[in-house]
């Protein structure tokens, strides 16, 4: 579903004329720039020792759902605020809807960018009703039109009938829906979601996540979500951008990033895993936990005899009982029963703990000696040290 | 679009947010206006030449200095020791009539010092009412009430609510888990109070004590009636009796100096633990402690200040009024002063709140060296006694702003300078409650900074603006010295007519005017107490109030 007024009123967005000392410095403003395009963006807060984001590049296309995944403090929220216009960039270029909106020499204020932003704590207006909150961004329309435009959006988020309520009369999940409706009502160029589920309990989170995905699909809105929750990022997005310290490490389809992480840091962020040291030799990696077939990813290379880090994912590991005669065995430290599956912790002789996820049907006793294998002929990913 | 690279010195912006020009302009106009009295006073004194060093080091000046400090010290210490137990008992214990008493214990705030002083003289003077009752015990003469003793009584019982309000606010904000943690570690209630509660209350006590000290420094009516000549009283007498006003100006400078010393002193007690924004959600309310039979003693501790500070003076006033009515004293001349009082006080409230808004918004939302300078400058009225502001504005009116002289606008100006900090503080704490993301959300939805301020910020700080305005109204109603000096000839207010009626011993008229003043100023106080003034930092009351 496309909202009825889509594409209308775009002229409200008055781009500022760029004033560059040297026109060659300007990025190309062709159609290919995407809805949101950040090039080599750096943002340093005044007085801060280092930049919150640096050399930050991302390009988001029309109708795409992209997530930025990163640890807290990685600069995710700063990136969002740069796009929305609440922070000024000290270097690089920010274009929104094909227009340059931010660089070291110019800054279009947030109210001129037509970006919908949903804050972590929703930031609904406490002195206004639900309807007035949603109509807030529709100031350019006359009164009756405002409510006729707000109504379908409220319906879409499932909040029809709550129009005259005040914000504090709503539950957290309902507030979240209103916040999304408010951001979508003015038909923004893009929707930015800043950790939208972090204040909700787990059960509500999953339901709302599906709903939001459906809502933005229906409205065809380009969406950028920022989160530290890997499941959230993997489940919702068309593409996922993994953020290391203040810049993007890898960007791609969730499956691709999961299968082919470009670095150990990305792998650690994208899935529960352990990294153990090993030696790469002739297509295998020799580690304390065993000798496994291995592969390198994302343009990395490993030469024979090189020290590497092997990525041990709980879901790819399997264990079987072993006698002490074998080399490279481990002890079962604990077992956590989860229903169909059970998660085992095994302790290697060096003290390193690995997690193994296997079917719960055949139980292995805590304290017994086991040998680790890789399930179903998979290859262990190794990263050069 | 802007070129900001050159301005990153921190003068205009600390966090990269640049304030809109209109806010800067409005705030600087307010700041300049607030600074006029002090600056003009300095100019005036320095231009008087070598005289001023002579005046400062005269023996009589030093004596007045000592007398003033003695009174400030006594009043502050006693006020704090009265207020802290009252605060604790009304918030944390189960004393009888707790709710009634929490409101009543603040009410002495409405009593102007000069009204309180006249009633104190009536009761406690050597041959007063109290002596009449004590005659049965063979006491035929009480010690003299005039001087230090009387002045202390009056000021303590009318200023302790300042400490009470700040301490009570802090007690309500305090997370009970801290005390519980201490108890869980095996310490008794008294030790807990000493090592946890009291240190947590220290900033609140210091803040309230500062208000008490500054009030004592600037009071004129009470000390004058009780013949205890502090700096303020001396300046007033100088101003009224001599033609050369240089002396008054020079003495005023010393008064400003003392006020600044008090402000710095309070700043030193604060340390590093400045201001903590409470986390999301409502602070859990601490359970009330059952005092058992001790609660009757608690009732006495809370009740006594209310009796001395409110019931006794009001009783005396009623007594005078009734006696006067039997003697057919004419009360009609009070109508005009009452209307005048209402008019100027309401106007003062409005003007002050409007001036405070840009300063407070700039200070909270666009922190920078400049906005901090603006905010601090408006706090000057806090430390400026009414006499000083009034005198300076008289000079200013005569020499610079002639059209304003002898108009009520100069009076409103003085009230504005004096009471601006109250409004700025009140709006500021209201704004600190408002999540800045809310304003960003509004801007993200296409509103310019100006429109965000009018459609979001101002509606959300309305509760704070209201309490600020109510407080200014109350203070302006009670204000005496500046009103005496700056009222246009023939313009009388309730406070000036109480002053003149009491010096002419027209008891019924004094009583009627005073009761009227107490009732009218009681309205904003009741409103503020019910809203939990001094409790501004606390939870969502403001936000929910705004939603209604």
């Amino acid at each position: 579903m496309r909202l009825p007024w889509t594409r209308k009123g775009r002229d409200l967005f008055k781009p500022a004329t760029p004033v560059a000392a040297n026109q060659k410095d300007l990025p190309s403003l062709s159609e290919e720039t995407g809805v949101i395009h950040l090039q080599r963006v750096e943002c340093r807060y005044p007085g801060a020792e280092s930049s919150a984001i640096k050399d930050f590049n991302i390009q988001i296309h029309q109708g795409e759902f992209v997530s930025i995944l990163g640890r807290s403090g990685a600069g995710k929220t700063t990136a969002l605020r740069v796009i929305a216009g609440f922070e000024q960039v000290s270097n690089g270029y920010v274009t929104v809807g094909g227009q340059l909106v931010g660089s070291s020499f110019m800054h279009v204020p947030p109210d001129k960018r037509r970006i919908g932003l949903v804050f972590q704590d929703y930031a609904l207006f406490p002195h206004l009703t639900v309807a007035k909150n949603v109509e807030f961004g529709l100031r350019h329309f006359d009164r009756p039109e405002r409510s006729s435009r707000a109504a379908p959006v409220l319906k879409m988020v499932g909040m029809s009938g709550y129009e005259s309520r005040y914000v504090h009369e709503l539950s957290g999940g309902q507030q979240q829906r209103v916040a999304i409706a408010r951001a979508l009502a003015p038909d923004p160029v893009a929707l930015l979601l800043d950790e939208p589920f972090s204040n909700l309990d787990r059960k509500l989170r999953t339901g709302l996540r599906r709903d939001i995905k459906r809502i933005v699909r229906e409205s065809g809105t380009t969406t950028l979500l920022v989160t530290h929750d890997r499941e959230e990022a993997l489940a919702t997005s068309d593409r996922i951008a993994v953020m290391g310290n203040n810049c993007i490490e890898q960007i791609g389809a969730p499956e691709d990033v999961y299968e082919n992480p470009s670095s150990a840091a990305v792998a650690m962020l994208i899935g529960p895993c352990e990294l153990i040291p090993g030696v790469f030799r002739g297509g295998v990696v020799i580690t304390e936990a065993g000798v496994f077939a291995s592969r390198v990813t994302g343009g990395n290379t490993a030469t024979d005899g090189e020290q590497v880090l092997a990525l041990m994912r709980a879901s790819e590991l399997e264990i079987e009982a072993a006698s002490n005669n074998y080399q490279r065995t481990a002890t079962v430290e604990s077992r956590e029963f989860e229903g169909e599956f059970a998660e085992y912790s095994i302790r290697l002789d060096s003290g390193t703990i690995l997690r193994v996820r296997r079917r719960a049907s055949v139980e292995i006793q805590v304290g017994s000696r086991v040998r680790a294998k890789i399930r179903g002929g998979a290859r262990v990913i190794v990263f050069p040290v | 679009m802007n070129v900001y690279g050159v301005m990153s010195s921190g003068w205009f912006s600390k966090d990269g947010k640049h304030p809109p020009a209109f806010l800067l302009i409005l705030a600087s106009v307010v700041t300049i206006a607030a600074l006029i009295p002090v600056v003009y006073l300095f100019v005036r004194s320095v231009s008087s030449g070598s005289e001023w060093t002579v005046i400062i080091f005269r023996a009589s000046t030093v004596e007045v200095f000592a007398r003033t400090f003695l009174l400030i010290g006594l009043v502050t210490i006693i006020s704090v020791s009265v207020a802290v137990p009252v605060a604790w008992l009304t918030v944390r214990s189960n004393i009888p009539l707790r709710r009634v008493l929490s409101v009543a214990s603040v009410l002495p705030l409405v009593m102007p010092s000069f009204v309180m002083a006249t009633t104190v003289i009536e009761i406690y003077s050597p041959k007063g009412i109290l002596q009449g009752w004590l005659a049965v015990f063979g006491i035929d003469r009480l010690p003299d009430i005039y001087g230090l003793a009387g002045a202390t009584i009056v000021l303590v019982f009318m200023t302790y609510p300042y400490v009470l309000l700040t301490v009570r606010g802090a007690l309500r904000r305090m997370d009970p888990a801290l005390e519980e943690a201490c108890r869980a570690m095996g310490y008794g209630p008294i030790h807990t109070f000493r090592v946890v509660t009291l240190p947590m209350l220290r900033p609140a006590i210091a803040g309230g004590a500062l208000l008490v000290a500054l009030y004592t420094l600037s009071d004129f009516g009470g000390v004058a009636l009780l013949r205890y000549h502090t700096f303020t009283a001396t300046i007033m007498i100088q101003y009224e009796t001599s033609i050369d006003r240089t002396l008054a100006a020079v003495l005023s400078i010393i008064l400003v100096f003392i006020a600044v010393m008090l402000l710095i002193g309070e700043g030193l007690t604060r340390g590093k633990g400045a201001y903590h924004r409470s986390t999301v959600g409502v602070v859990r309310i601490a359970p009330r402690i059952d005092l058992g039979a001790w609660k009757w003693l608690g009732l006495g501790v809370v009740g006594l200040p209310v009796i001395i500070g409110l019931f006794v003076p009001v009783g005396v006033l009623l007594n005078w009024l009734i006696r006067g009515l039997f003697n057919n004293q004419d009360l009609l001349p009070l109508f005009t002063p009452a209307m005048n009082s209402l008019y100027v006080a309401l106007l003062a409230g409005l003007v002050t709140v409007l001036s405070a808004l840009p300063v407070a918004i700039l200070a909270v939302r666009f922190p920078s060296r400049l906005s901090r300078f603006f905010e601090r400058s408006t706090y000057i009225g806090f430390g400026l006694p009414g006499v000083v502001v009034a005198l300076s504005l008289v000079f200013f009116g005569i020499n610079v702003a002639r059209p304003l002289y002898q108009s009520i606008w100069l009076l409103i100006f003085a009230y504005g300078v004096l009471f601006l900090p109250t409004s700025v503080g009140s709006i500021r704490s209201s704004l600190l409650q408002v999540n800045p993301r809310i304003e960003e959300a509004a801007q993200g939805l296409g509103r310019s900074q100006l429109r965000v301020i009018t459609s979001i910020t101002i509606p959300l700080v309305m509760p704070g603006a209201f309490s600020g305005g109510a407080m200014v109204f109350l203070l302006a109603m009670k204000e005496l010295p500046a009103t005496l000096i700056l009222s246009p000839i023939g313009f009388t207010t309730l406070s000036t007519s109480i002053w003149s009626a009491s010096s002419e011993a027209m008891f019924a008229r004094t009583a009627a005017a005073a009761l009227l003043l107490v009732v009218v100023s009681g309205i904003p106080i009741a409103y503020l107490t019910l809203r939990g003034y001094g409790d501004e930092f606390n939870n969502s009351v403001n936000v929910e109030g705004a939603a209604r």
Side-chain angles (χ1 to χ4, degrees):
Chain A
M1 188 191 92
R2 278 235 146 228
L3 293 176
W5 56 92
T6 306
R7 299 268 153 227
K8 224 180 98 184
R10 274 277 152 85
D11 55 323
L12 298 175
F13 172 60
K14 296 236 175 61
T17 329
V19 192
N22 181 357
Q23 288 288 331
K24 270 189 287 182
D25 283 354
L26 285 175
S28 65
L29 297 179
S30 67
E31 277 294 302
E32 294 142 39
T33 52
V35 176
I36 294 170
H37 193 182
L38 272 67
Q39 288 176 71
R40 304 188 306 280
V41 168
E42 177 173 2
C43 177
R44 182 192 286 256
Y45 292 105
E49 298 225 330
S50 60
S51 302
I53 55 173
K54 197 175 181 182
D55 201 17
F56 191 96
N57 298 289
I58 197 168
Q59 192 169 11
I60 301 167
H61 305 287
Q62 178 63 44
E64 223 184 354
F65 195 126
V66 177
S67 300
I68 297 181
L69 174 68
R71 288 208 177 77
S72 54
K76 307 182 301 276
T77 300
T78 305
L80 269 203
R81 293 174 63 81
V82 159
I83 297 167
F86 293 112
E87 308 297 345
Q88 293 182 22
V89 301
S90 22
N91 243 320
Y93 304 101
V94 182
T95 56
V96 169
Q99 302 289 344
L100 182 66
V101 293
S103 70
S104 57
F105 51 82
M106 62 92 75
H107 176 79
V108 175
D111 44 310
K112 300 275 192 297
R113 292 197 183 188
R114 289 177 51 81
I115 292 252
L117 181 53
V118 175
F119 291 87
Q120 188 169 5
D121 44 11
Y122 320 137
L124 294 171
F125 307 127
H127 63 307
L128 301 178
T129 59
V130 166
K132 291 269 176 267
N133 262 283
V134 176
E135 288 167 28
F136 193 85
L138 303 172
R139 196 169 50 88
H140 299 282
F141 302 102
D142 48 11
R143 231 165 261 279
E145 201 173 351
R146 273 183 225 170
S147 47
S148 67
R149 279 169 186 274
V153 189
L154 272 170
K155 185 157 178 272
M156 193 161 71
V157 299
M159 288 298 289
S160 297
Y162 290 90
E163 284 84 355
S164 53
R165 298 280 189 93
Y166 282 95
V167 173
H168 62 92
E169 298 168 328
L170 304 178
S171 71
Q174 290 173 326
Q175 292 189 17
Q176 174 67 278
R177 287 163 189 273
V178 175
I180 288 165
R182 183 179 69 178
L184 284 177
D187 185 30
V189 176
L191 181 68
L192 311 182
L193 304 163
D194 186 7
E195 301 263 10
F197 312 109
S198 61
N199 287 332
L200 303 171
D201 64 64
R202 205 179 165 75
K203 208 176 152 192
L204 195 59
R205 213 184 285 186
T206 328
L208 202 61
R209 199 160 74 195
R210 289 199 189 109
D211 275 6
I212 287 183
K213 201 173 172 186
R214 173 186 57 80
I215 291 163
V216 297
R217 282 266 177 280
E218 278 178 13
S219 62
T221 314
T222 309
T223 308
L224 179 61
L225 173 111
V226 147
T227 181
H228 65 270
D229 185 330
R230 42 169 230 96
E231 274 178 45
E232 210 167 283
L234 290 171
T236 47
S237 342
D238 300 325
R239 281 196 300 153
I240 189 167
V242 183
M243 222 178 146
N245 206 14
N246 68 36
C247 67
I248 286 179
E249 298 260 334
Q250 189 178 3
I251 183 161
E255 296 80 4
D256 189 45
V257 177
Y258 187 81
E259 283 305 317
N260 300 302
S262 66
S263 68
V266 170
M268 290 295 279
L269 275 168
I270 202 101
C273 62
E274 249 72 45
L275 286 164
I276 53 171
V279 177
F280 183 80
R281 184 152 290 153
V284 300
V285 59
I286 303 155
T287 70
E288 194 195 353
V291 179
F292 310 112
S294 67
R295 63 185 174 110
V296 288
T297 56
N300 294 321
T301 52
T303 51
D304 250 25
E306 192 183 336
Q307 290 286 328
V308 291
L309 286 172
L311 179 69
M312 313 302 282
R313 279 184 172 144
S315 54
E316 289 174 358
L317 275 174
E318 174 60 290
I319 45 175
E320 57 182 25
S323 71
N324 274 334
N325 303 340
Y326 281 106
Q327 278 189 326
R328 309 187 213 282
T329 55
T331 314
V332 175
E333 179 98 348
S334 67
R335 173 179 184 264
E336 281 170 33
F337 180 61
E338 291 174 353
E340 198 180 346
F341 291 95
E343 192 168 289
Y344 288 81
S345 295
I346 58 169
R347 178 191 287 275
L348 305 180
D349 291 337
S350 67
T352 308
I353 306 266
L354 293 183
R355 288 176 190 285
V356 180
R357 204 172 140 80
R358 65 196 295 272
R359 297 199 82 80
S361 47
V362 185
E363 194 185 328
I364 294 178
Q365 291 294 322
V366 171
S368 55
R369 293 294 284 182
V370 289
R371 213 160 63 110
K373 311 194 297 186
I374 294 298
R375 185 171 285 145
R379 287 170 170 266
V380 168
I381 301 167
V382 295
F383 301 104
V385 179
Chain B
M1 201 197 315
N2 259 307
V3 181
Y4 283 126
V6 282
M7 302 209 284
S8 55
S9 60
W11 263 102
F12 290 93
S13 168
K14 217 174 185 175
D15 57 2
K17 303 248 178 323
H18 297 277
F22 68 90
L23 211 54
L24 274 178
I25 292 167
L26 286 176
S28 33
V29 169
V30 172
T31 307
I32 291 167
L35 288 178
I36 282 177
V38 151
V39 171
Y40 197 73
L41 198 65
F42 266 95
V43 172
R44 171 87 191 186
S45 309
V46 172
S47 63
S48 72
S50 61
E51 258 179 282
W52 76 304
T53 43
V54 181
I55 298 167
I56 289 174
F57 294 108
R58 274 191 324 200
S60 65
T61 313
V62 174
E63 200 192 313
V64 179
F65 207 87
R67 221 184 286 143
T68 308
F69 264 102
L70 182 60
L71 183 69
I72 290 176
L74 268 180
V75 171
T76 310
I77 291 166
I78 302 176
S79 287
V80 169
S81 15
V82 169
V84 174
V86 172
W88 191 84
L89 286 164
T90 50
V91 175
R92 289 293 187 76
S93 82
N94 66 335
I95 53 160
L97 301 172
R98 197 185 61 86
R99 287 187 153 275
V100 180
L101 282 172
S102 344
V103 178
S105 54
V106 183
L107 286 178
L109 207 59
V110 302
M111 199 59 74
S113 68
F114 43 96
V115 172
M116 179 99 176
T118 51
T119 62
V120 160
I121 294 166
E122 174 83 359
I123 301 160
Y124 307 97
S125 67
K127 288 283 177 191
I129 295 174
L130 190 62
Q131 188 274 326
W133 291 347
L134 294 177
V136 229
F137 304 106
I139 297 170
D140 55 357
R141 196 182 167 81
L142 284 172
D144 204 352
I145 189 69
Y146 290 103
L148 184 60
T152 309
I153 292 176
V154 167
L155 288 167
V156 163
F157 287 100
M158 59 164 301
T159 56
Y160 85 88
Y162 288 121
V163 185
L164 177 61
L165 282 171
T166 53
V167 172
R168 208 190 264 169
L171 269 177
R172 287 197 185 127
R173 283 198 302 280
M174 192 165 20
D175 189 350
L178 293 172
E179 287 166 312
E180 287 163 3
C182 183
R183 293 300 297 276
M185 282 182 263
Y187 295 105
I190 293 171
H191 182 81
T192 304
F193 186 81
R194 210 163 48 81
V195 302
V196 177
T197 320
L198 212 52
M200 295 280 294
L201 293 181
R202 202 184 59 179
I205 293 174
L210 174 71
L211 290 176
V212 171
L214 288 173
Y215 184 85
T216 307
L217 179 65
S218 66
D219 183 63
F220 162 65
V223 292
L225 284 174
L226 287 160
R227 297 178 208 156
Y228 188 79
H229 289 170
T230 59
F231 249 106
T232 303
T234 314
I235 294 169
M236 269 308 257
I237 292 163
Q238 272 299 330
Y239 173 76
E240 280 169 352
T241 53
S242 80
I243 304 153
D244 177 22
R245 285 163 179 179
T246 313
L247 182 60
V250 173
L251 289 175
S252 296
I253 290 285
I254 305 177
L255 202 50
V256 175
F257 176 68
I258 302 175
V260 169
M261 271 170 39
L262 291 173
L263 281 165
I264 293 172
E266 192 262 351
L268 291 179
T269 69
R270 276 198 188 177
K272 297 249 172 190
Y275 170 74
H276 285 260
R277 192 162 168 181
S278 61
T279 45
V280 189
V282 180
V283 177
R284 191 160 49 94
I285 291 164
R288 291 208 178 85
I289 291 163
D290 187 355
L291 293 181
W294 289 100
K295 68 184 179 186
W296 299 104
L297 181 67
L299 177 66
V301 170
V302 178
L304 200 63
V306 182
I307 292 173
I308 300 176
L310 187 70
F311 292 159
V312 171
V314 170
V316 172
L317 293 177
L318 282 173
N319 182 20
W320 282 346
L321 182 64
I322 292 162
R323 265 193 304 181
L325 288 179
F326 277 117
N327 297 336
N328 290 324
Q329 277 200 30
D330 185 11
L331 298 180
L332 204 60
L334 283 179
F335 180 73
T336 317
M339 291 315 284
N340 286 346
S341 270
L342 271 182
Y343 178 57
V344 291
L346 282 174
L347 212 53
L350 191 69
V351 168
T352 312
V353 166
L354 287 179
S355 325
L357 276 170
V359 179
I361 293 174
L362 196 69
V364 175
R365 284 297 184 250
F366 303 97
S368 69
R369 261 181 256 175
L370 190 66
S371 64
R372 200 168 53 227
F373 168 74
F374 284 159
E375 193 199 1
R376 294 284 154 83
S377 307
T378 60
Y379 276 32
I380 202 153
F382 211 37
L384 279 190
V387 188
V388 177
V389 172
L391 278 180
S392 179
L393 288 182
V394 165
F395 303 142
F396 179 73
I398 293 174
N399 297 323
V400 183
R402 196 77 210 190
L404 283 184
Y405 188 60
Q406 284 294 328
S407 81
I408 64 156
W409 292 106
L410 208 55
L411 183 60
I412 303 286
F413 190 179
Y415 288 151
V417 172
L418 287 171
F419 308 137
L420 198 56
T422 334
S423 311
V424 172
S426 181
I427 295 171
R428 186 194 142 83
S429 37
S430 217
L431 187 54
L432 280 171
Q433 300 257 311
V434 178
N435 184 345
R437 300 285 163 276
I438 291 178
E439 286 150 313
E440 287 180 357
Q443 214 193 345
L445 289 166
R447 301 277 169 110
S448 64
Q449 280 181 312
L450 174 63
R451 285 186 164 275
V452 171
I453 287 174
T454 54
S455 65
I456 301 295
T457 316
I458 292 181
L460 288 181
V461 298
M462 259 342 235
F466 246 111
S467 357
M471 206 62 204
V472 172
F473 172 83
L474 168 77
L475 293 168
M477 288 287 286
K478 282 170 55 174
E479 212 288 334
L480 183 66
T483 318
L484 280 175
I485 296 175
L486 289 174
S487 289
I489 291 162
F491 186 87
T492 54
T493 67
L494 277 182
S495 53
T496 61
S497 37
I498 295 168
W499 180 249
S500 55
S502 70
S503 37
E504 290 158 27
M506 296 165 81
F507 289 121
R509 202 176 286 173
T510 311
L515 286 170
L516 205 57
L517 184 56
V518 168
V519 171
V520 175
S521 8
I523 296 166
I525 276 292
Y527 164 78
L528 291 174
T529 317
L530 290 175
R531 268 213 53 235
Y533 186 79
D535 201 7
E536 296 282 11
F537 302 104
N538 200 0
N539 70 51
S540 54
V541 180
N542 285 332
V543 176
E544 287 191 16
R548 299 292 169 189

